[in-house]
Amino acid sequence: MKPTIRCLFATTCLLLTSTLFATPTNLSFLQKQLENYHQSGAYTTQIAYVINQAKTTLQHAIQNNRDHKKLAIVLDIDETSLSNYNQIKALYAAMANVGDTQNTKILTAIGQPFSDTAIQPTLDLYRFAIANNIAVFFITGRFDYDRQGTIKNLKNVVLILQIEHINI
């Protein structure tokens, strides 16, 4: 093997092993980072920024819809339309007592799976779309057994004003 190829091979092996065997970030540290991100307002600010871009795009589509085609938008449910933050935070807090199966924080967080709150900028976009006769489709990675609770949750936060067909 030529010296250049050997050197390249050795460098590649070194990079791969250092990446593969790097010490993972502590889960508690990541949880704290996520909590700080949410509490700082950066989370809400970034969501509002993206939703405003979507609204601007939708306004342009409405203005340029000279053929009067039926327009639509697609919204994800979790952490786009509905916030699961309070449940996630409760689960993180409860994870400190992982071995405690009677932990009331875990049971409370899990026992209220359809109490998510609306994410305000998305709710505003939804209302704008409905007011302009734009079809709104919700998508999710939730399981089929969550369908009825999810629909109820969306209705409770006024993210479903009319139901033609719901396929979650």
Side-chain angles (χ1 to χ4, degrees), residues 43-142:
Y43 173 77
T44 305
T45 300
Q46 290 179 348
I47 286 177
Y49 177 77
V50 171
I51 294 295
N52 283 334
Q53 287 180 318
K55 186 175 180 182
T56 299
T57 301
L58 190 55
Q59 286 170 327
H60 288 296
I62 293 167
Q63 292 167 355
N64 296 324
N65 189 15
R66 292 178 179 82
D67 296 334
H68 303 288
K69 293 180 180 177
K70 183 68 175 166
L71 301 176
I73 61 171
V74 179
L75 297 172
D76 181 47
I77 293 178
D78 295 306
E79 298 310 320
T80 300
S81 299
L82 298 176
S83 174
N84 314 113
Y85 179 73
N86 290 332
Q87 291 173 302
I88 292 168
K89 189 175 174 183
L91 286 170
Y92 285 166
M95 286 171 62
N97 300 316
V98 173
D100 182 4
T101 57
Q102 301 303 312
N103 189 314
T104 55
K105 289 180 183 176
I106 290 177
L107 297 176
T108 301
I110 293 171
Q112 300 174 354
F114 305 110
S115 59
D116 305 326
T117 57
I119 294 176
Q120 191 61 48
T122 307
L123 180 57
D124 294 342
L125 177 64
Y126 171 82
R127 288 178 175 157
F128 175 79
I130 294 299
N132 285 282
N133 201 29
I134 308 297
V136 179
F137 295 89
F138 290 95
I139 60 170
T140 186
R142 291 184 180 193

Side-chain angles (χ1 to χ4, degrees), residues 77 136-138 147-148 150-152 154-155 159-160 162-168:
I77 293 178
V136 179
F137 295 89
F138 290 95
R147 179 188 311 268
Q148 293 307 314
T150 300
I151 293 168
K152 181 180 175 188
L154 288 167
K155 285 181 182 178
L159 274 168
I160 296 181
Q162 53 192 339
I163 299 175
E164 293 177 17
H165 178 72
I166 294 182
N167 188 9
I168 294 178

